[in-house]
Amino acid sequence: MKESNNLYSMDRNIIGSRVILVRPHLDFIDEFLAAVESSKSLHTPWVKPPSTKNEFIAYLQNTVRPSRESFWVRSTLDSSLVGVIEVRSILPSVDDSGTISYFAFNPWSGCGLMREALTHFITFIFKSRKLRRLIADIEAENTNSLGLVFRLGFQQDGDVTKLLTDGSFRNYQKWVLYSDDWLKSIVI
């Protein structure tokens, strides 16, 4: 993995062979919202990314919190927006963990670009933030995401039922990846 200028610097882009991970930016609001609109069928019911300018601005403000790392994934082929990867709830003083989430945009789902991006991102997050583990909570019916975390080496750590803001309940599987296991096995 190459990173522009300073390896594992939190303010630099992460460059892979087919993807580049960049920080979210207001200049690309129209591109982002168009990608969200064209990917509604892919995202429903798994994720609800910001779909209005006001939601986008609120999202962008959240991406700079100390407890969060956010990157957009772009194709090195044509710079088009491939997806989003984030770690929220980074708690270095509590248990050295964070919760990872990600989603792809059409037409990139299933092309392997998010797997490559996640590989680079996970290495970055473990080395730069010194986390001990990453947690992925994935809806039990989301077989594509479950397969992806399994292929990346996450281990299932249980089932959770969550109450959502609309009052409904959803079943999730909790998956965990430990930095020691990842950093011993990764070859980029």
Side-chain angles (χ1 to χ4, degrees):
M1 171 175 62
K2 291 188 270 179
E3 193 167 328
S4 59
N5 295 333
N6 188 4
L7 196 58
Y8 305 118
S9 170
M10 288 192 245
D11 61 345
R12 304 291 181 206
N13 296 334
I14 301 169
I15 303 169
S17 62
R18 299 183 306 151
V19 294
I20 181 169
L21 282 70
V22 300
R23 296 294 182 174
H25 198 278
L26 184 60
D27 288 349
F28 303 105
I29 186 170
D30 292 331
E31 179 187 13
F32 183 92
L33 293 177
V36 168
E37 180 64 30
S38 72
S39 303
K40 277 186 178 179
S41 63
L42 176 64
H43 296 158
T44 304
W46 316 120
V47 64
K48 189 180 182 319
S51 59
T52 67
K53 288 189 178 190
N54 286 340
E55 288 175 356
F56 180 86
I57 290 167
Y59 153 78
L60 201 58
Q61 290 169 340
N62 284 329
T63 65
V64 295
R65 291 183 179 190
S67 62
R68 191 172 190 152
E69 287 285 350
S70 300
F71 280 96
W72 288 352
V73 181
R74 291 189 171 277
S75 167
T76 56
L77 181 64
D78 62 3
S79 290
S80 60
L81 198 52
V82 171
V84 173
I85 305 173
E86 301 179 325
V87 171
R88 297 179 313 276
S89 305
I90 297 173
L91 303 170
S93 62
V94 177
D95 65 357
D96 295 326
S97 70
T99 302
I100 191 167
S101 62
Y102 52 87
F103 56 90
F105 292 116
N106 281 329
W108 301 104
S109 177
C111 296
L113 295 181
M114 287 300 290
R115 181 176 181 182
E116 179 183 335
L118 280 159
T119 300
H120 293 298
F121 179 83
I122 291 168
T123 302
F124 163 80
I125 202 75
F126 278 147
K127 289 189 174 189
S128 69
R129 296 298 288 262
K130 308 292 187 221
L131 297 182
R132 188 177 62 83
R133 67 183 181 154
L134 286 174
I135 301 164
D137 291 330
I138 302 170
E139 287 189 49
E141 294 81 19
N142 190 344
T143 56
N144 289 340
S145 281
L146 292 172
L148 180 55
V149 294
F150 177 79
R151 288 188 302 277
L152 287 167
F154 282 74
Q155 299 172 3
Q156 189 175 359
D157 194 40
D159 296 312
V160 179
T161 300
K162 292 185 179 184
L163 175 63
L164 304 181
T165 56
D166 66 1
S168 65
F169 290 91
R170 293 260 172 86
N171 295 322
Y172 288 80
Q173 290 184 7
K174 181 178 179 181
W175 291 73
V176 177
L177 181 66
Y178 291 94
S179 62
D180 288 347
D181 297 336
W182 178 262
L183 295 172
K184 281 185 220 171
S185 68
I186 192 65
V187 177
I188 299 180

